[in-house]
Amino acid sequence: MTGASRGVGRGIAIGLLAAGFQVYGTGRSIDQADLPREIRRLRCDHLNDDETAHVFEVIRSEKGRLDLLVNCAWGGYEKMVEGGAFTWPAPFWEQPMHRWTGMIDAGVRAAFVCSAHAARLMTPQHSGLIVNISFWAAQRHLGNTIYGIAKAATDKMTSDMAVELKPFDVAVISLYPGLVRTEAVMAAAEGGAFDLSTSESPEFIGRVISTLFHDPNLMARTGQVLVAAAVAKEFGVLDIDGSSPPALTLADI
């Protein structure tokens, strides 16, 4: 589980642990993260390929196999306010270039490198699932051009990786969450920025991923873009409060 220090990644890690997985969580601040002690913490800056390689070597040496990789490492939400200005919605020609690094290098490239390491463990065992956390920005402009580029690249990466991994019975999926009650979203909601009535807990996505992992028809879904709430509705997966988050479509975004 990459990017497990906070936000969606932290919630997925907790959700997978509750579903019975042995979870390894990575992140730059993973040592200080509020996570159950059962989660194996591996500090890693996924901009550093040597640190990423070390993570997978630890997993290989300790477990000898890897069944599931969830790519959620993401630096795109850092430094959104600069010089007192909220720069996220600025036109692309006024975007700070660190945002490209945060979304493309610390996001898409990190997922690519991690997936390559995972594939080296999964292909010999002829099983495994790679989940790339993506979003609707791949389909429609959602306030930031680099954001759209990153998510569209993630979906295309998923599609093409699936072609190459299918002969080895390894599945790859892009998964779209809805509005997730992360720490940042909850703080913004206090100021009226979000309506939480259709939101999901961070742990909900972990429940959905666990369900996909155990789906006997998983390989029929490989290469696809899936909406977490739609998968939950299909299989009857509930959120931690017993609710069923609505399966949003592109028209709802």
Side-chain angles (χ1 to χ4, degrees):
M1 180 68 241
T2 74
S5 299
R6 60 182 181 273
V8 175
R10 173 181 172 273
I12 294 173
I14 294 171
L16 289 173
L17 180 70
F21 287 82
Q22 292 183 299
V23 180
Y24 286 69
T26 72
R28 288 172 296 178
S29 58
I30 196 74
D31 292 337
Q32 291 77 47
D34 180 16
L35 289 167
R37 60 178 178 79
E38 294 88 352
I39 292 177
R40 177 79 156 87
R41 304 175 189 225
L42 295 173
R43 190 198 174 281
C44 179
D45 181 349
H46 285 290
L47 288 171
N48 185 314
D49 289 349
D50 289 339
E51 291 187 15
T52 298
H54 175 70
V55 165
F56 287 89
E57 176 55 28
V58 169
I59 294 171
R60 186 202 64 76
S61 64
E62 292 185 358
K63 296 300 176 184
R65 63 181 292 120
L66 177 64
D67 297 303
L68 172 65
L69 168 67
V70 182
N71 285 310
C72 197
W74 176 254
Y77 297 147
E78 298 174 349
K79 295 186 287 187
M80 296 179 75
V81 177
E82 299 175 282
F86 181 54
T87 58
W88 170 271
F92 74 87
W93 59 91
E94 295 179 5
Q95 286 288 320
M97 288 302 102
H98 70 74
R99 195 153 285 144
W100 179 275
T101 300
M103 294 188 184
I104 304 298
D105 294 346
V108 183
R109 187 182 185 280
F112 178 86
V113 175
C114 288
S115 296
H117 283 287
R120 293 168 196 149
L121 292 170
M122 292 176 174
T123 52
Q125 67 194 30
H126 275 262
S127 66
L129 169 63
I130 297 172
V131 177
N132 295 316
I133 301 301
S134 190
F135 199 58
W136 295 102
Q139 315 285 337
R140 171 182 292 178
H141 182 268
L142 291 181
N144 186 289
T145 295
I146 307 173
Y147 189 43
I149 293 169
K151 297 309 180 183
T154 296
D155 289 357
K156 178 59 174 171
M157 177 174 66
T158 293
S159 176
D160 285 5
M161 284 181 174
V163 172
E164 297 180 7
L165 286 171
K166 190 171 184 178
F168 300 93
D169 302 311
V170 176
V172 193
I173 288 168
S174 275
L175 189 63
Y176 290 8
L179 176 62
V180 182
R181 296 189 295 275
T182 63
E183 303 91 332
V185 166
M186 294 303 291
E190 290 181 2
F194 294 110
D195 174 7
L196 299 178
S197 62
T198 61
S199 64
E200 306 163 354
S201 75
E203 295 86 352
F204 173 71
I205 312 300
R207 292 185 170 199
V208 171
I209 292 172
S210 174
T211 298
L212 285 170
F213 179 82
H214 291 102
D215 179 8
N217 296 315
L218 174 62
M219 288 306 300
R221 302 175 188 267
T222 191
Q224 295 181 10
V225 171
L226 301 178
V227 178
V231 174
K233 183 177 181 180
E234 177 183 351
F235 287 95
V237 178
L238 300 178
D239 208 335
I240 58 174
D241 61 359
S243 66
S244 299
L248 303 179
T249 67
L250 188 57
D252 300 312
I253 301 301

